[in-house]
Amino acid sequence: MRRYSTLGTIGWQVLICAIVLSVWQWGYDLRARLPWLVPDLLDPYFISKPSMIFDNFLIQSCLKSKLGVFNGWFNGEFAKCLTRNENNLWAATAITLKNTFFGFITGVVSGFVAGLILGRSDRLSAIFQPFITAVNSIPRIALAPIIVLAFGIGDMSKIVTSWIVVVFLVFFNTFEGARSIDEGFTNAARLLGASEWQITRTVVIPSTMAWVFASLTPAISFALIGVIVGEFIGAERGIGRLIIESEARGEASGMMIAVVVLMLVGVVLSAIIWRLQAYLLRWQRQRSAE
Amino acid sequence: MSALETSATTSPRASADRRVEVKGLSKSFQLAKTTIEAVRDVTFDVRRGEFVALLGPSGSGKSTVLNMIASLIRPTAGEILIDGKRVVSGRATPNVGYVFQRDTLFPWRTVADNIGYGLELSGVSARERKERIAECVARAGLRGFENAYPSALSGGMRQRAALMRTLIVEPQILLMDEPFGALDTHTKIDMHEVLLRIWEREQQTVLFVTHDLGEALTLADRIILFSARPGRIKDMFAVDFARARDAVKVRETPRYAELFQHIWHSLGEEFIKGRSA
Ligand SMILES: Nc1ncnc2c1ncn2[C@@H]1O[C@H](COP(=O)(O)OP(=O)(O)OP(=O)(O)O)[C@@H](O)[C@H]1O
Ligand SMILES: [Mg+2]
């Protein structure tokens, strides 16, 4: 692959952002003159405008009061604003992140363990095969209302929804990875005196890692989706709740703030996974790094 | 029968001296609807400290025999005794080391961690491990590559690392499946030197698979010649050069040429058969 200069790449990226934001901000103003060019969708009633979104962001995050005055950090206005609104942007983000985190971790751990066990045992995988196929063909997100009904509108239902979408993803990847281990490696280990447990620890897990990591980036977005859908259906706090409230008020900028926050959260979490992968799977990269 | 041939199955020595006994070993593979007979009724013994080469054309079942001795696959018929104890397939026999035909270094471990793997399994302390790894790294000429991953090594270096991974646990029986098959002639003879010095010191019992007659003559006390598929024992030859051998000089002796000539014809027939099979 040819290497393009980083500066050039960044230049293009900045340009693309500028174009998209400009169209978003001013595109609808052109409608008066060129009605055939501007689609209805650009109506700020639906998609708001970058400037309105930013303004609303400052208010929702308690950085600015509704009167348009900046809240002081030290005079207590900021703290007062936070306590006035239980589901302020910070609190909502924190709660959504927390539930995403628990859903993701429990999903990854249980999917990984189950995938390893079934992937290494022909007998168990034969027994569970039809059940797994059956459950896997349910669109898991369709279970969200049932889960909220069963676990209530608290955090638990969000974690469970998130868990159920993550666990299968990780399970299938781990399962495939454990099935496709090169027998040469397990034989070599066995002949060097490895017990079954040692083989699992030193051969099966490391060689399955690449497969597991391939599922983690989608898993983190799935975890987030699970939590948000759970919050749509019934919640008192969280970003999903913010979106629903803004929608009820017909306030596009409020929904857009939540969407942008979700995007940022997703990007940060993916970046963490990516860094972890680059470290744990560094053995895959040495050759290409020359 | 030539005077050069010996009958190894009727060893005059006591049975306690027989390290590996292979009796009537056969193996057939079921592939889709056809049955492939890989090995047919193979019987031989290996004495304690003996270096035996299994020589034969590609597909003559050499790897299959080694895999059965290593307990990796189950024979269709026959049995294998190691130190008088029956080999049970699926259960590794202690004291048996195997250098595979295919590269099986763990790609997720550095060279040093690959070599030290066996010691790690048996719980040798990190300090002692480090010392012994350093020794092996030096012997294999891999200094400076301790922290490299296998993907950054050449084929020859990988093979040396794999050899050391097996040798570090000091197995008394060594199964080697074309360990130097992928190396250039020069590196190969270097490796013969390395192996000969190790073997002289440790006196392991070695079963060495190869289809390179020169290699077999350089290293072995005895050559077992396999026929083309199905693999049977076609012949056995004693290789009676004095020990300690020099991997380069041994090739220059008249005796080497004589043995080479003698076995070459026998081997050539099998290669032709193997090709048409
Ligand atoms: N797992 C297997 N399944 C089916 N057939 C097999 C299997 N392993 C080996 N065979 C067949 O058995 C025969 C002997 O194979 P083997 O690998 O033992 O030969 P070899 O003498 O080691 O050859 P080479 O010198 O090329 O390594 C071959 O015809 C091969 O196709
Ligand atoms: Mg072979």
Side-chain angles (χ1 to χ4, degrees):
Chain A
M1 207 175 88
R2 224 191 106 187
R3 292 187 72 104
Y4 295 95
S5 81
T6 339
L7 214 63
T9 311
I10 292 176
W12 277 106
Q13 289 165 343
V14 169
L15 187 67
I16 291 170
C17 287
I19 291 174
V20 169
L21 289 176
S22 305
V23 170
W24 194 353
Q25 177 74 25
W26 294 293
Y28 203 73
D29 298 344
L30 284 179
R31 196 176 164 98
R33 245 169 293 164
L34 305 165
W36 46 271
L37 181 72
V38 183
D40 286 342
L41 192 67
L42 278 185
D43 191 337
Y45 179 74
F46 303 128
I47 60 165
S48 190
K49 281 181 182 195
S51 60
M52 289 162 68
I53 296 170
F54 185 69
D55 218 44
N56 198 356
F57 164 76
L58 292 179
I59 293 170
Q60 294 229 5
S61 59
C62 283
L63 295 173
K64 207 170 151 184
S65 77
K66 289 218 165 89
L67 304 169
V69 192
F70 278 94
N71 283 331
W73 286 93
F74 302 110
N75 61 11
E77 278 300 318
F78 181 65
K80 239 187 269 169
C81 170
L82 286 186
T83 44
R84 212 163 30 233
N85 180 2
E86 267 249 290
N87 198 25
N88 64 67
L89 194 56
W90 304 107
T93 308
I95 199 90
T96 299
L97 260 183
K98 189 195 88 185
N99 291 340
T100 302
F101 178 78
F102 283 120
F104 176 75
I105 292 293
T106 51
V108 168
V109 170
S110 51
F112 179 69
V113 171
L116 271 192
I117 294 174
L118 264 66
R120 294 298 294 163
S121 159
D122 291 334
R123 176 133 189 80
L124 287 180
S125 68
I127 293 174
F128 285 101
Q129 184 70 49
F131 301 118
I132 293 164
T133 315
V135 176
N136 188 40
S137 46
I138 303 172
R140 255 87 63 201
I141 212 74
L143 298 173
I146 302 170
I147 294 169
V148 173
L149 203 60
F151 291 89
I153 59 170
D155 291 344
M156 197 42 136
S157 60
K158 317 301 172 298
I159 294 174
V160 173
T161 313
S162 167
W163 171 80
I164 212 162
V165 289
V166 168
V167 70
F168 276 91
L169 194 68
V170 176
F171 169 81
F172 279 105
N173 266 49
T174 312
F175 182 76
E176 277 308 314
R179 300 242 100 182
S180 60
I181 287 172
D182 187 339
E183 234 188 301
F185 295 143
T186 41
N187 283 341
R190 189 165 290 127
L191 287 171
L192 284 163
S195 62
E196 279 309 310
W197 167 239
Q198 283 173 320
I199 290 176
T200 303
R201 202 165 46 81
T202 60
V203 177
V204 177
I205 291 180
S207 55
T208 312
M209 263 316 157
W211 286 81
V212 175
F213 268 102
S215 72
L216 291 193
T217 316
I220 201 90
S221 358
F222 275 40
L224 208 48
I225 292 171
V227 172
I228 295 296
V229 170
E231 288 171 354
F232 280 176
I233 292 167
E236 289 175 326
R237 291 183 297 165
I239 294 182
R241 172 79 196 175
L242 274 185
I243 295 179
I244 294 288
E245 282 172 351
S246 303
E247 200 239 342
R249 288 198 301 266
E251 188 185 273
S253 63
M255 290 190 270
M256 282 298 173
I257 293 169
V259 170
V260 171
V261 169
L262 287 178
M263 183 182 75
L264 292 179
V265 166
V267 167
V268 169
L269 294 179
S270 301
I272 293 173
I273 301 266
W274 194 81
R275 291 299 287 269
L276 193 66
Q277 172 172 8
Y279 174 73
L280 283 176
L281 299 183
R282 59 195 178 284
W283 53 273
Q284 286 186 329
R285 304 163 54 80
Q286 191 158 353
R287 186 116 217 180
S288 53
E290 45 188 333
Chain B
M1 278 283 228
S2 149
L4 292 163
E5 288 160 32
T6 56
S7 172
T9 41
T10 53
S11 170
R13 304 189 191 204
S15 77
D17 205 32
R18 275 186 250 143
R19 265 239 113 136
V20 182
E21 296 167 71
V22 175
K23 296 180 185 168
L25 202 60
S26 298
K27 177 72 193 179
S28 300
F29 290 104
Q30 205 65 45
L31 258 190
K33 286 201 177 87
T34 54
T35 305
I36 295 176
E37 193 181 8
V39 178
R40 181 190 290 173
D41 194 22
V42 165
T43 300
F44 65 91
D45 290 352
V46 186
R47 292 191 309 277
R48 184 177 295 274
E50 192 180 20
F51 199 127
V52 171
L54 299 182
L55 186 66
S58 189
S60 59
K62 308 179 297 292
S63 298
T64 306
V65 167
L66 231 53
N67 284 337
M68 288 191 278
I69 296 174
S71 78
L72 293 178
I73 57 180
R74 189 191 303 276
T76 313
E79 64 170 355
I80 299 156
L81 304 179
I82 289 181
D83 291 330
K85 275 203 240 41
R86 219 188 137 122
V87 169
V88 183
S89 66
R91 204 174 305 153
T93 319
N95 269 331
V96 176
Y98 196 156
V99 183
F100 291 84
Q101 177 168 14
R102 215 160 46 82
D103 179 15
T104 60
L105 284 180
F106 304 125
W108 53 86
R109 283 177 168 250
T110 61
V111 168
D113 287 346
N114 259 291
I115 293 177
Y117 181 71
L119 299 181
E120 209 177 298
L121 291 177
S122 51
V124 173
S125 76
R127 227 190 64 241
E128 190 191 336
R129 218 159 59 210
K130 211 170 151 203
E131 266 168 38
R132 284 170 65 182
I133 290 171
E135 199 180 300
C136 283
V137 164
R139 245 200 285 170
L142 288 170
R143 274 218 195 97
F145 289 92
E146 292 91 338
N147 295 319
Y149 288 94
S151 60
L153 264 54
S154 75
M157 293 160 94
R158 275 209 287 274
Q159 204 49 268
R160 276 177 278 165
L163 179 62
M164 286 307 157
R165 183 180 68 178
T166 305
L167 288 178
I168 202 167
V169 294
E170 301 178 343
Q172 274 141 43
I173 298 170
L174 204 50
L175 308 174
M176 304 178 84
D177 194 353
E178 297 185 41
F180 313 137
L183 306 185
D184 63 274
T185 319
H186 208 91
T187 318
K188 203 183 215 183
I189 293 176
D190 281 348
M191 289 309 297
H192 292 164
E193 268 306 310
V194 172
L195 182 60
L196 281 171
R197 298 295 86 80
I198 291 168
W199 179 77
E200 280 155 15
R201 213 177 53 172
E202 321 249 336
Q203 290 290 309
Q204 299 102 328
T205 305
V206 185
L207 258 169
F208 189 102
V209 166
T210 177
H211 41 222
D212 176 344
L213 174 55
E215 180 169 67
L217 284 170
T218 308
L219 298 171
D221 295 316
R222 189 153 54 102
I223 296 175
I224 298 179
L225 183 60
F226 271 61
S227 69
R229 207 177 71 211
R232 277 152 300 165
I233 294 182
K234 190 187 179 204
D235 230 334
M236 293 200 196
F237 306 92
V239 183
D240 48 5
F241 312 128
R243 301 279 184 184
R245 290 179 196 168
D246 178 314
V248 180
K249 291 209 179 99
V250 75
R251 289 176 182 250
E252 294 160 0
T253 59
R255 180 77 180 136
Y256 180 91
E258 193 184 333
L259 273 172
F260 196 98
Q261 277 291 326
H262 178 76
I263 303 173
W264 183 255
H265 290 294
S266 214
L267 188 60
E269 282 167 23
E270 292 313 316
F271 270 93
I272 291 161
K273 266 194 245 161
R275 232 170 285 145
S276 57

